Amino acid sequence: MGEQRETDWERRRRLAEIFGDVEPAVTSDERDDDAPASRESASERWLKAQVPPHHGD
């Protein structure tokens, strides 16, 4: 009867206390886990290796 409904932030805080933080603060697409060179395909690495030294990068 005199029941007070909890707000969204109170509910999220209560659920986080029980289950932990479900969503990471930074998602995998926002992280830069791999160095740019490691994201190149094998064919891209091979092609770059074939460039003569006098052409530079």
Side-chain angles (χ1 to χ4, degrees), residues 10-45:
E10 289 172 324
R11 181 176 179 273
R12 285 192 303 269
R13 185 185 65 194
R14 181 176 53 82
L15 291 175
E17 287 176 0
I18 297 169
F19 298 108
D21 190 12
V22 208
E23 295 181 16
V26 178
T27 59
S28 61
D29 62 330
E30 295 174 315
R31 287 192 308 252
D32 191 17
D33 293 337
D34 301 328
S38 66
R39 284 188 243 152
E40 294 177 344
S41 68
S43 60
E44 287 177 300
R45 286 191 301 271

